[in-house]
Amino acid sequence: MGKIVAGVGTSHVPSYGVAYDTNQQDNPKWAPVFEGYAPAKAWLKEIGVTHAIVIYNDHGTDFFYDKYPTFAMGAADEYPIGDEGWGPRNLPSVKGDSDFSWHLANSLVKESEFDLTICQQLEVDHGLLSPHPFLFDHDPDWDVKTVPLNVNVLQHPLPTARRLWKLGQGLRKAVESYPQDARVAVIGTGGLSHQLHGNRFGHMNEAWDHEFLDLIEDNPEALIDLPHDTWMERGGAESVEMTMWLAMRGAMTPKVKKIHRFYYLPMLTGMALTVLEDDTTEAA
Amino acid sequence: MSKETGHSDHIPGTFVFTGQRSRKGLNLNRFAYSLHEANNREAYLKDPEGYMDSCGLSQWEKTRILEGDWKSLIEEGGGSVYMLLKMCAVTSAGLTDLGAQMRGETQEEFLKTRNVVLRENA
């Protein structure tokens, strides 16, 4: 049977990829990131994650505004590494599980009324790939099967935070009705605070980032009615990606156990990682 | 107060990428998007003007692209920052260059405002 064994919220900053590919773990500017992710990778391995559902957004790698889906899920056994302008990264293509994806699609569409675009061919970019090698082994090949779930957080109108929360609830229902064994990590990516345009370029908000990290763990429902304007005011226009963490949190139990947290605010973006586990113990 | 549907650009220094902007910048963004393919980057570098013409760009758009005027392309031209960033692959500009320009600062001034400078031309 399918079971959600981990919830992960993570930034997907593109410079992570450059740092990873050029082995910057001993560079004091980058060491905090490598050290911040290492315990998460070890724990995900220890609990035996077999599948990762990654809620992310494409950045003009395989989707363009001529036709732009609000929700698009991969249903393939392999996802090529996209070319974002500098050639594809030297990583093995991301491996999928099309049977698992089609099961999720059937459940999400029929039981939870999420009418997804299904992609049997999909190239992935830093939205998924920046954190992925920090979380999972990939040499000689990835040790998890991945389901990319792309969300429009670029071209307004965007799906609401509440809609992403509900997507998470739908994902939980879908995973738990999977008849085969699957130990699933649900990963919400993006953020935290950043703005990449206008003379507010470089806006960051450390206090809001920390408040968000606390709320996503302990009181996520305080976040689901925040309009996009509020997310943008607090965290910068491009920080609306943070709403994708709610799809992860909506897939978890109301109470969760914190396994690990990391935060670093160097240059343009609040870099963060949260690792959670269901808490099924009764409240005292 | 801005309405969720309208986005009246009430946040200073912010140009929300709305449907209206996306329609205005469709050709510009399509051009930038096309640069994710190596053969298109090659074609652009060989003949920038010719390649931009083949994408149906206006004279205003072509001039701003050649001048590296990111600010105007986004604020007036309907440019989507995520698409325009593909242009960095065919110019010497990096993210902090365009950030400094949009803030009206030199790169040096901008970098002084950062906690840690990860890469100068990130």
Side-chain angles (χ1 to χ4, degrees):
Chain A
M1 293 291 283
K3 182 178 164 55
I4 291 176
V5 295
V8 178
T10 173
S11 298
H12 62 222
V13 188
S15 54
Y16 276 11
V18 181
Y20 188 89
D21 294 346
T22 56
N23 301 308
Q24 299 295 312
Q25 62 270 15
D26 297 325
N27 176 339
K29 293 176 179 179
W30 278 108
V33 173
F34 285 83
E35 287 161 13
Y37 276 80
K41 190 176 198 170
W43 184 75
L44 293 169
K45 197 179 180 73
E46 184 191 315
I47 63 167
V49 172
T50 61
H51 290 72
I53 300 171
V54 184
I55 300 105
Y56 77 109
N57 66 286
D58 179 88
H59 302 76
T61 302
D62 205 2
F63 291 97
F64 180 63
Y65 304 131
D66 53 352
K67 322 170 202 30
Y68 209 65
T70 299
F71 295 108
M73 189 172 75
D77 291 323
E78 188 168 3
Y79 303 98
I81 308 297
D83 182 345
E84 301 193 51
W86 292 266
R89 287 178 65 187
N90 185 23
L91 290 167
S93 61
V94 171
K95 299 308 178 299
D97 178 345
S98 54
D99 288 341
F100 181 58
S101 285
W102 281 111
H103 169 81
L104 297 178
N106 273 295
S107 176
L108 285 167
V109 173
K110 290 185 194 167
E111 293 179 60
S112 300
E113 299 177 339
F114 270 92
D115 306 318
L116 305 157
T117 298
I118 307 295
C119 306
Q120 299 200 73
Q121 189 178 322
L122 178 61
E123 291 184 8
V124 288
D125 74 8
H126 74 263
L128 184 146
L129 287 174
S130 281
H132 225 46
F134 280 101
L135 296 172
F136 301 106
D137 285 336
H138 55 81
D139 189 15
D141 206 346
W142 296 96
D143 66 357
V144 283
K145 307 285 190 195
T146 300
V147 179
L149 207 172
N150 183 76
V151 179
N152 169 28
V153 291
L154 266 53
Q155 179 182 259
H156 292 245
L158 315 178
T160 61
R162 179 178 284 277
R163 187 71 176 142
L164 287 156
W165 171 254
K166 286 185 178 168
L167 174 63
Q169 293 175 329
L171 282 170
R172 185 176 188 98
K173 191 187 274 190
V175 167
E176 291 185 337
S177 65
Y178 189 54
Q180 296 181 48
D181 286 335
R183 294 177 62 76
V184 179
V186 179
I187 304 177
T189 74
L192 300 186
S193 59
H194 67 302
Q195 176 150 336
L196 301 177
H197 77 268
N199 62 22
R200 203 172 180 235
F201 182 103
H203 173 80
M204 302 190 291
N205 185 342
E206 187 169 10
W208 163 235
D209 285 350
H210 285 298
E211 187 185 343
F212 170 79
L213 290 170
D214 288 342
L215 288 172
I216 203 86
E217 277 172 35
D218 300 329
N219 188 13
E221 294 196 51
L223 296 166
I224 62 181
D225 287 323
L226 295 182
H228 293 111
D229 281 355
T230 303
W231 294 89
M232 293 192 290
E233 280 162 9
R234 293 183 185 174
E238 276 67 46
S239 79
V240 289
E241 292 172 352
M242 290 158 75
T243 57
M244 292 190 287
W245 288 45
L246 285 164
M248 172 278 288
R249 190 61 183 85
M252 308 295 290
T253 48
K255 277 182 63 191
V256 287
K257 286 186 254 180
K258 179 174 83 176
I259 304 295
H260 181 63
R261 190 198 278 192
F262 155 73
Y263 183 77
Y264 183 41
L265 185 72
M267 190 161 172
L268 293 173
T269 306
M271 299 178 176
L273 169 71
T274 285
V275 183
L276 306 172
E277 185 180 36
D278 278 355
D279 184 352
T280 49
T281 56
E282 293 295 319
Chain B
M1 277 298 275
S2 112
K3 295 229 163 58
E4 259 304 281
T5 49
H7 290 299
S8 55
D9 286 342
H10 69 293
I11 307 171
T14 302
F15 300 81
V16 176
F17 192 67
T18 57
Q20 289 84 343
R21 289 208 165 95
S22 189
R23 185 176 59 186
K24 187 173 189 183
L26 192 60
N27 276 348
L28 168 65
N29 290 322
R30 187 186 281 116
F31 153 77
Y33 169 73
S34 76
L35 300 173
H36 80 285
E37 288 184 25
N39 56 344
N40 292 336
R41 294 195 290 272
E42 229 170 85
Y44 175 83
L45 288 170
K46 206 179 282 177
D47 177 13
E49 192 90 27
Y51 185 74
M52 289 192 287
D53 282 336
S54 75
C55 295
L57 297 187
S58 68
Q59 192 57 52
W60 185 90
E61 289 167 325
K62 288 192 290 183
T63 306
R64 299 299 169 290
I65 290 165
L66 290 172
E67 288 171 348
D69 185 352
W70 305 82
K71 185 177 164 66
S72 299
L73 289 170
I74 287 176
E75 296 182 6
E76 297 166 50
S80 159
V81 68
Y82 290 115
M83 299 298 156
L84 296 194
L85 282 171
K86 310 282 177 211
M87 286 160 44
C88 290
V90 293
T91 67
S92 56
L95 187 56
T96 53
D97 291 304
L98 70 103
Q101 183 199 82
M102 288 191 278
R103 287 162 61 105
E105 295 172 345
T106 65
Q107 168 134 199
E108 198 183 12
E109 285 167 341
F110 172 61
L111 293 179
K112 275 187 195 151
T113 67
R114 304 294 98 189
N115 296 335
V116 176
V117 176
L118 292 172
R119 283 189 296 155
E120 298 230 335
N121 198 21

